[in-house]
Amino acid sequence: MRVVSFNVNGIRAILGKDFKESFEKLEADIFVIEESKYSEDSHDKFPFMPEGYNTYWTVSKLRKGYSGVTIFAKKEPLSVHYGLDDGKYDDEGRVITLEYDNFYMVGCYVPNAGEELKRLDFRMEFEKDLVKYLNRLNENKPVIYTGDLNVAHNRIDLKNPDSNTHNAGYTKEERDAFTNLLSNGYIDVWRTLHPEEVKYSWWSYRFHAREKNSGWRIDYFVVSERLMDKVVASDIHNDIFGSDHCPISLDINL
């Protein structure tokens, strides 16, 4: 089974940039997109509904053209859940969970701490709620958790760690929260398979960052520890364009 995650930075924008070709090339069984920036009252269906897939999406109810997660899945799930426990954070369209026979698929767009870290407290609250939610799922079935997690965990995960110590995505609080998540029985798949490799999944649109490969690894596959022996491969597809992020993939025998 192949799972792909891709922050598209606007579904309508990327549809004009060969997204359909990239979608087909990646041959995913489950394809998660973040930051779809889709508003439910602007259309009667999602702008991209690939044949052979079930499509599930959530949107920001607070602001049009903001946030949003979508999952395309070949196999229909047993259940679909939006938000975390009790639907928390669904008003920002941040999380979708698909339940299958032997695992949960959780697609997520983690809140950005923002300029001057104005949303850092909100972000930290989200992280606490997220761990509780994933742990509850994990007690029942193992979890595949993916998305734009908006954190570069270690120095190797971004080009300029020293100058970004107090910037969103690389604060001690955010990195510690990711460490805490992993300590609850989860694995950062790509880093485990590629312990020394430098590869990024996001680049600023400024200063020709992608041309210079001055980027960050902030998109992840995190799996329950008991799934790691079923993982075949994981990759960061930085040869695919169309967004300020690139897709990531997970191949797993389930």
Side-chain angles (χ1 to χ4, degrees):
M1 182 182 79
R2 167 167 277 200
V3 186
V4 169
S5 174
F6 191 8
N7 180 320
V8 298
N9 196 16
I11 183 62
R12 287 195 178 88
I14 204 168
L15 282 172
K17 300 176 183 177
D18 299 324
F19 175 69
K20 293 178 182 178
E21 289 82 356
S22 298
F23 183 91
E24 292 172 1
K25 175 184 176 181
L26 289 165
E27 298 182 314
D29 296 287
I30 300 175
F31 198 116
V32 183
I33 65 173
E34 304 87 40
E35 212 171 354
S36 59
K37 298 183 178 180
Y38 175 68
S39 301
E40 61 184 338
D41 61 354
S42 65
H43 224 273
D44 61 355
K45 64 178 183 178
F46 198 73
F48 179 62
M49 304 278 281
E51 186 176 353
Y53 289 83
N54 301 282
T55 304
Y56 308 94
W57 70 92
T58 188
V59 301
S60 171
K61 301 173 179 65
L62 301 178
R63 199 164 94 206
K64 288 185 178 181
Y66 174 73
S67 190
V69 173
T70 302
I71 302 183
F72 309 106
K74 285 185 176 179
K75 184 178 179 181
E76 186 175 356
L78 300 175
S79 67
V80 183
H81 179 77
Y82 299 94
L84 299 182
D85 283 321
D86 300 319
K88 193 173 183 181
Y89 305 103
D90 189 42
D91 56 352
E92 292 202 0
R94 295 205 172 268
V95 187
I96 301 178
T97 303
L98 306 187
E99 179 187 5
Y100 288 98
D101 290 332
N102 54 350
F103 71 99
Y104 289 100
M105 178 75 246
V106 181
C108 184
Y109 177 42
V110 170
N112 191 307
E115 292 184 10
E116 299 180 357
L117 305 179
K118 291 179 180 177
R119 295 199 94 194
L120 182 59
D121 289 345
F122 176 79
R123 162 73 179 264
M124 291 300 99
E125 186 67 23
F126 179 91
E127 296 281 3
K128 292 176 184 177
D129 291 336
L130 172 74
V131 170
K132 292 177 184 176
Y133 177 71
L134 294 180
N135 285 347
R136 183 177 64 77
L137 297 181
N138 195 35
E139 288 176 1
N140 188 34
K141 301 175 187 179
V143 172
I144 300 174
Y145 170 53
T146 190
D148 175 359
L149 306 191
N150 261 318
V151 62
H153 187 211
N154 294 308
R155 292 178 63 85
I156 194 174
D157 295 317
L158 73 166
K159 181 71 172 181
N160 299 303
D162 292 335
S163 61
N164 282 291
T165 303
H166 301 293
N167 290 337
Y170 196 62
T171 63
K172 185 178 187 301
E173 292 89 342
E174 290 164 303
R175 289 181 285 134
D176 285 351
F178 192 74
T179 298
N180 178 63
L181 168 64
L182 299 182
S183 73
N184 274 263
Y186 305 97
I187 302 288
D188 172 358
V189 176
W190 194 84
R191 181 54 69 206
T192 300
L193 296 178
H194 307 269
E196 304 297 332
E197 187 172 352
V198 174
K199 209 168 184 181
Y200 305 125
S201 65
W202 174 79
W203 304 261
S204 170
Y205 280 132
R206 299 184 296 171
F207 311 122
H208 304 284
R210 192 154 188 177
E211 293 174 31
K212 299 174 182 177
N213 198 28
S214 181
W216 301 47
R217 186 177 74 97
I218 60 175
D219 301 85
Y220 294 80
F221 280 100
V222 174
V223 302
S224 301
E225 287 179 348
R226 61 193 187 276
L227 286 184
M228 194 61 201
D229 64 351
K230 300 180 186 302
V231 170
V232 177
S234 186
D235 203 357
I236 298 174
H237 299 270
N238 55 14
D239 58 334
I240 293 179
F241 293 80
S243 172
D244 51 348
H245 293 248
C246 72
I248 61 173
S249 64
L250 171 71
D251 296 303
I252 186 168
N253 287 326
L254 282 177

